[in-house]
């Protein structure tokens, strides 16, 4: 069995040798099921084991070690490059979403990394959405200034994993997010009882009044999609609409 150090060394080599891959999962609008964009999801094919390593196994290690900063820079570059390719072949993709870890956001160079990737590949800032987990956020002026700079330049920002742990409505007020993404446990609670649906509808209504859109991930059944549509959720994502796949597969 590989040790923690051995996995880290292989992961470092994978980042250095551009062996980290991106798969893309479709995001659709709730009302019409039209394609609204894709979320870029990181994958690692380990040549030693000749298998895909679960993100749950290597992403925490990358974040703990700080390797996520370099990895995240390459992921951003690759996602922007793919958005450019889709635009060049005439496929209108509203957004390509990229997940951002706490250490990336806290890195002083983060906004410049984003702007350089956008400029390098010649994409519109509006075609890139950055998704931030609640854990990455703080009320420090430094973090707020970074998000404000990105938002002012036209980059779309999303609050990810809303509903995990203790979620505060204040997050919707304090930060310039244009999209709020509910995490899967929130969906399962809505499916189980009406009270959770009432609460979720309240949050969706508040978000709309603040000029923000909402999305739910992990949709696997038509019933789940119908529940989300009934409470006014704007966008849906999950296996019901497509599993993550290589960019070439998504072009179909």
């Amino acid at each position: 069995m590989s040790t923690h150090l051995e996995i880290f060394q292989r992961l470092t080599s994978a980042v250095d040798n551009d062996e980290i891959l991106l798969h893309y999962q479709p995001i659709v609008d709730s009302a019409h099921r039209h394609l609204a964009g894709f979320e870029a999801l990181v994958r690692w094919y380990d040549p030693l084991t000749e298998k895909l390593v679960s993100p749950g196994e290597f992403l925490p290690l990358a974040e703990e070690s700080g390797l996520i900063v370099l990895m995240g820079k390459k992921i951003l570059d690759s996602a922007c490059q793919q958005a450019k390719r889709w635009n060049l072949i005439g496929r209108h993709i509203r957004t390509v979403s990229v997940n951002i870890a706490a250490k990336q956001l806290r890195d002083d160079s983060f906004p410049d990394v984003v702007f350089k990737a956008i400029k390098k590949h010649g994409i519109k800032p509006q075609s890139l959405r950055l998704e931030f987990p609640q854990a990455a956020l703080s009320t420090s002026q430094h973090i707020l200034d970074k998000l404000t700079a990105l938002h002012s330049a036209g980059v779309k920002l999303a609050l990810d994993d809303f509903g995990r742990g203790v979620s505060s409505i204040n997050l919707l007020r304090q930060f310039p997010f244009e999209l709020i993404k509910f995490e899967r446990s929130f969906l399962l609670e809505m499916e189980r009882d009406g009270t959770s649906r009432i609460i979720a509808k309240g949050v969706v209504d508040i978000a709309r009044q603040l000029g923000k859109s909402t999305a739910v991930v992990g949709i696997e059944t038509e019933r789940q999609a119908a529940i989300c549509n009934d409470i006014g959720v704007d966008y849906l994502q999950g296996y019901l609409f497509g599993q993550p796949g290589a960019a070439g597969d998504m072009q179909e």
Side-chain angles (χ1 to χ4, degrees), residues 59-150:
L59 281 180
L61 177 58
E63 294 185 28
E64 177 187 341
S65 65
L67 185 61
I68 193 67
V69 175
L70 176 58
M71 182 188 295
K73 181 178 180 180
K74 295 193 174 189
I75 289 170
L76 266 170
D77 186 79
S78 181
C80 288
Q81 183 181 49
Q82 185 56 53
K84 179 66 173 181
R85 286 173 177 164
W86 274 322
N87 288 333
L88 285 176
I89 61 177
R91 300 188 183 277
H92 176 62
I93 305 300
R94 292 186 194 168
T95 58
V96 172
S97 299
V98 178
N99 293 285
I100 304 299
K103 285 190 177 180
Q104 288 176 265
L105 179 57
R106 292 170 190 155
D107 188 83
D108 289 339
S109 66
F110 177 68
D112 287 337
V113 167
V114 176
F115 294 140
K116 286 178 180 177
I118 290 172
K119 183 177 180 180
K120 175 182 176 182
H121 297 289
I123 64 171
K124 295 179 179 180
Q126 294 83 357
S127 65
L128 177 65
R129 175 181 286 128
L130 305 179
E131 299 188 4
F132 300 90
Q134 294 182 69
L137 303 174
S138 72
T139 56
S140 75
Q141 190 62 43
H142 192 46
I143 295 297
L144 182 58
D145 288 346
K146 289 179 182 179
L147 295 180
T148 300
L150 292 164

Side-chain angles (χ1 to χ4, degrees), residues 27 179-183 204 213-217 228 233-237:
I27 302 168
L179 179 69
I180 311 303
K181 295 186 75 173
F182 294 97
E183 63 109 17
V204 169
S213 300
T214 52
V216 173
V217 302
C228 294
V233 172
D234 298 292
Y235 300 104
L236 306 176
Q237 180 180 347

Side-chain angles (χ1 to χ4, degrees), residues 177-229:
F177 297 116
E178 52 85 27
L179 179 69
I180 311 303
K181 295 186 75 173
F182 294 97
E183 63 109 17
R184 180 164 169 73
S185 69
F186 210 73
L187 168 66
L188 298 178
E189 288 174 8
M190 285 194 293
E191 193 174 22
R192 279 195 296 266
D193 67 88
T195 301
S196 294
R197 288 196 290 277
I198 293 171
I199 294 172
K201 187 178 188 309
V203 177
V204 169
D205 289 343
I206 290 171
R208 181 169 289 114
Q209 291 174 33
L210 292 173
K212 304 175 190 299
S213 300
T214 52
V216 173
V217 302
I219 305 291
E220 296 182 351
T221 68
E222 286 291 349
R223 180 172 184 268
Q224 292 173 341
I227 290 172
C228 294
N229 191 45

